[in-house]
Structure formats: structure tokens, C-alpha cells
Amino acid sequence: MLSVRNIAALGFMTFAMYLGAGNLIFPPFLGYQAGEHLFEGMSGFLLSGVGLPALALIMVALVQGSDNLTAVLPRPLATSFWIMVFIVIGPAFVIPRAITVAYQFSFAPFVGDAALIPFSILFCLATVLFSLYPGKLVDTLGKWLTPALLSILVVMAVVAWWLPAGAMGEATGPYVSGAFAEGITQGYMTMDALGSIGFGWVIFRAIQSMGVSCPKATAKYTLMAAVMYASAMALVYVSLAYIGATSVSFSTEFTNGGEILTAFTTHHFGVFGTMLLGVVMVLACLTTAIGVTTAGSEFYSRTFHKVSYRGSVWVTMLVAALVANIGLDQLLAITLPAVVALHPVAIALLMIAPLRRVLATSGVLATVATALVFGGMDALHILGSMPEAMDAVLSRELPLYGYYAGWIVPTVAVLAVSGLLGLLSGQRVSDAVAER
């Protein structure tokens, strides 16, 4: 049985892996746009931006590990899916973005772009040093880095609530008449459910490193970590959104949440505020980079016998550093569609998990293929690359297409039909596949 301290550290570790720079920047801009409709907007945001990732972790716990989510797929497809996931949430997307965002909010305000290369080297070395010892990840993130990060965020939250910059502004854009729906859309766009299935590898390994071997106990502690993550993240999101909602008095036309946080910290703390925000961003980006590096390396070392965990850590960070300094913009243009398209597939696998003993393999493949195809359509829509004529037809005929979630209805329909056919015919996924 884990001690209360270890359970708390596990929850802090889980929270830290999710709290990246994007999670800090999304809520303030939502609050800024939602204004007087902050409650409705944040209710929707929390439902999809916190509830969905937490549900994903719960499903990972129920199936006893992230790798069991894809056990219903043929092994080559399952392996390909995980490789794609860990490439896009690792060196091809999340980590390079974490490096550049951390730099933009820490050193860039003082020295411009002159120190990006040495900063990248130091950032990657720090990530490597923490990631090389996955057994100590709970101590690293849960007992040291996360408490430091949370302490700074608590200070910002207290200042925001007790000394707001001004009154809430008026709602703008889609928040005028559809704040709840827009909040759901923005929460969905954090894509944290995709991170959940990746972080499941790390959480299970961390629990086992603390001496827990019973599958039921491992699932129980994962559930507890999910609840702690959701509670802490919700409080952070609400506080950051309130900062945005009360920032109208700065008389500046903000275009993103980063500008709002910069204005807020500068207003209350002066130059020290700029440094404070830089520390927050660096810690948030570092904890996320450690999480995704550890998760990816754990997968590669367990899946490919000739790949060592340590070697994977070094290669991941080397590639990430090169991408951050050479071709981030170009690579983001390529990988962003992959991230958007993989997200529905990940959620589809989560929906399949409770029904995996009822569905035939053909039903599983049909559901995943539907999520991939319509998720690809949503990706084209988000990127503005959908042909105009097709976009008009889908906007009119496909439910939720306007909210960038057109994949949901077709995927749920295929899953329901496949499940019904499986029940009627008595077909089931074989125990060997289900438990693979």
C-alpha cells in the first residue's frame, strides 16, 4: 500500500506531465474572449479539456495499461499507431514546441533569438538527466519540480483573485451566444486525450517502481492520480481564465494567452513578473518534455529488443533540439494534421476498450478506420485546407463538423452497429488478442 505522500507525489507527477505551455496559454485567451460568459465557457472547456483526458486515464487503468488499448488491433497496426503517437507528441511536435515556447517567455524578452541554441542544449540536457532515471520520476516531478511550479501558480492565482486588473469585459466572437459549445471545442483542441494514452505508460511504470505489482492496485492508484490531476488542472485553468477575463482594462488588443499573461505579470510584478512568467513556462515545458520523452522511450525499449531505453532518450532529445532550431515551422505544418487526425483514433480506442470482448476484429477495424477518415477531414477543416465545395456540403450534412468534431457521430454509429452485430452473432475478440 502506498503512503499518502507517495500518492500525492504520483498525482503531482501526473499533473506536471499535462501542464505544458499550451495549457497555460489556452485558458487566459478563452477568459479574455468569454468575458461575462466566463462560467459557461469554462464549463465547456473543463468538460472536454479536463474531463476527457481524465476519462482516458481511467480507461487506461481499467484495461490495465496503455498497451492494452491497442491489443484489439493486429500487432503491426498497433505498433504503427504507437510509433506515430510518440513521434508527434515527442521529437516532431510537442518537445520542439516546448523548447521554443520556454525560450520565448524566458530569455527572448531580454536577448532576442541570440541564445536559442545554448538554451536548447541546456533544456535538452536537463530533460535527458531527469528522463534517464524513470524509476525516480515520481521524486523528480512529484516531489520537486511540480511543487515549485504549483507554488508560483498559486501566487499568481491569489493575486488574480484578490487584485484583479479590472472588471470582466463583454463576451466577443462565438462566446456571445454559444460560450458553452465554444468552450467544449477549445478544450477538445488541447488534444490532451492523446497525451493521456501515452502518459499511461509512464504512470504504470512509476507505480510499479514504488513496489506495487498487483494489477488491481495499480489500476486503483492510476484512478487516484487521474482524480488528483483533474482537480488541480481545473483550479489552474479557472484561475488563468479569470486572469484573461479581467484583462480588458489593459486597453490592449490581445491575440493570444501568452500576451495576456505577460501583461498580467508585468502589471503586478514589473520586470520581476517577466522573469516569474519565464520560470513558470520553463518548468511547465520541462515537465511535459520529461513526461513525453519517458513515455516514448519506455515504449520503444519494450517493443523493440535492440533499442535501449537510454539510447532512445538521447536520440529523442537530439532530434527535438535539431527540429527546434532548424525546421520547427515547416515540421509543425506537417505534423499538426497528424496530431489532429490521431486524436479521434485515440478516443475511438478508448470507446472500444469496454466493448473489446464483444466486438469482432472487423468491427474494431471499421471503427478505427472511420475515426481516422473523418478525423482526417476535421484536420483539413482546422487547417483551412478542405476544398470549399466539400466544406459547404460537410458543414450542412455532417453533425458537429462546425465544431471540428465531425468524426464523433460516424464513429459512434459504426461502433454501435459493430457491437450489436457482435452480440447477435456471438462473435468475440479472442481472449489471446484481448489479453495480448
Side-chain angles (χ1 to χ4, degrees):
M1 225 179 134
L2 296 182
S3 66
V4 173
R5 184 183 179 189
N6 281 336
I7 293 173
L10 180 66
F12 282 147
M13 180 200 76
T14 305
F15 167 80
M17 291 191 297
Y18 282 96
L19 189 66
N23 303 85
L24 293 172
I25 292 173
F26 262 113
F29 197 56
L30 183 153
Y32 176 69
Q33 292 182 304
E36 58 191 342
H37 295 161
L38 176 64
F39 176 79
E40 295 94 325
M42 278 307 296
S43 296
F45 185 86
L46 294 177
L47 183 63
S48 57
V50 177
L52 186 58
L55 179 62
L57 273 185
I58 291 172
M59 292 307 306
V60 168
L62 293 178
V63 300
Q64 299 180 6
S66 292
D67 49 344
N68 284 329
L69 284 174
T70 53
V72 291
L73 297 175
R75 190 176 295 276
L77 286 180
T79 302
S80 299
F81 169 77
W82 285 115
I83 289 174
M84 286 294 297
V85 167
F86 287 119
I87 286 176
V88 298
I89 71 169
F93 185 79
V94 170
I95 301 177
R97 187 179 66 173
I99 294 170
T100 55
V101 170
Y103 179 77
Q104 287 168 4
F105 283 93
S106 56
F107 289 92
F110 303 101
V111 298
D113 293 333
L116 178 59
I117 292 178
F119 176 85
S120 300
I121 294 173
L122 291 175
F123 185 97
C124 291
L125 284 176
T127 304
V128 167
L129 289 176
F130 287 124
S131 300
L132 284 179
Y133 303 98
K136 297 181 179 180
L137 202 60
V138 173
D139 288 331
T140 301
L141 295 185
K143 297 180 181 178
W144 296 102
L145 292 182
T146 310
L149 176 58
L150 273 176
S151 297
I152 300 174
L153 289 173
V154 166
V155 170
M156 292 175 61
V158 170
V159 171
W161 288 101
W162 284 97
L163 298 171
M168 289 188 185
E170 296 182 358
T172 59
Y175 292 96
V176 174
S177 58
F180 182 75
E182 182 64 18
I184 289 179
T185 301
Q186 293 302 318
Y188 171 79
M189 291 299 292
T190 64
M191 304 291 173
D192 277 350
L194 188 61
S196 286
I197 65 171
F199 292 149
W201 292 80
V202 180
I203 294 170
F204 265 60
R205 171 68 178 268
I207 294 172
Q208 290 168 356
S209 72
M210 291 187 285
V212 177
S213 57
C214 173
K216 288 186 177 180
T218 302
K220 180 183 74 172
Y221 291 127
T222 303
L223 289 173
M224 295 174 70
V227 172
M228 294 177 66
Y229 143 75
S231 302
M233 190 66 81
L235 291 174
V236 170
Y237 278 161
V238 170
S239 298
L240 291 174
Y242 184 72
I243 289 175
T246 55
S247 294
V248 179
S249 61
F250 288 130
S251 301
T252 302
E253 201 65 36
F254 296 113
T255 59
N256 60 67
E259 294 177 354
I260 295 171
L261 290 180
T262 299
F264 170 82
T265 52
T266 302
H267 174 76
H268 286 289
F269 306 105
V271 176
F272 176 74
T274 303
M275 299 172 62
L276 185 70
L277 182 60
V279 172
V280 169
M281 288 296 183
V282 170
L283 286 176
C285 291
L286 181 62
T287 54
T288 298
I290 293 169
V292 295
T293 300
T294 304
S297 300
E298 182 74 21
F299 162 74
Y300 292 127
S301 63
R302 287 180 55 178
T303 305
F304 305 103
H305 298 300
K306 294 185 178 181
V307 176
S308 69
Y309 177 86
R310 288 174 172 259
S312 179
V313 168
W314 280 104
V315 170
T316 296
M317 294 314 301
L318 177 61
V319 174
L322 291 174
V323 171
N325 285 274
I326 297 176
L328 180 60
D329 291 339
Q330 295 84 348
L331 194 59
L332 288 181
I334 298 173
T335 56
L336 185 57
V339 174
V340 177
L342 280 173
H343 194 241
V345 175
I347 299 175
L349 288 170
L350 293 170
M351 293 190 294
I352 289 170
L355 305 173
R356 59 183 183 159
R357 294 188 180 279
V358 175
L359 292 170
T361 301
S362 58
V364 171
L365 295 177
T367 303
V368 171
T370 302
L372 180 60
V373 170
F374 284 90
M377 292 182 182
D378 286 327
L380 292 176
H381 184 201
I382 291 171
L383 298 171
S385 301
M386 180 66 73
E388 189 174 336
M390 180 65 73
D391 185 68
V393 172
L394 292 174
S395 297
R396 186 174 63 251
E397 303 294 340
L398 183 60
L400 303 179
Y401 178 76
Y403 294 104
Y404 309 111
W407 65 272
I408 292 179
V409 173
T411 304
V412 171
V414 171
L415 178 60
V417 171
S418 300
L420 182 60
L421 291 176
L423 286 172
L424 293 176
S425 63
Q427 290 179 315
R428 293 172 180 267
V429 176
S430 70
D431 290 340
V433 173
E435 298 297 334
R436 191 176 66 211

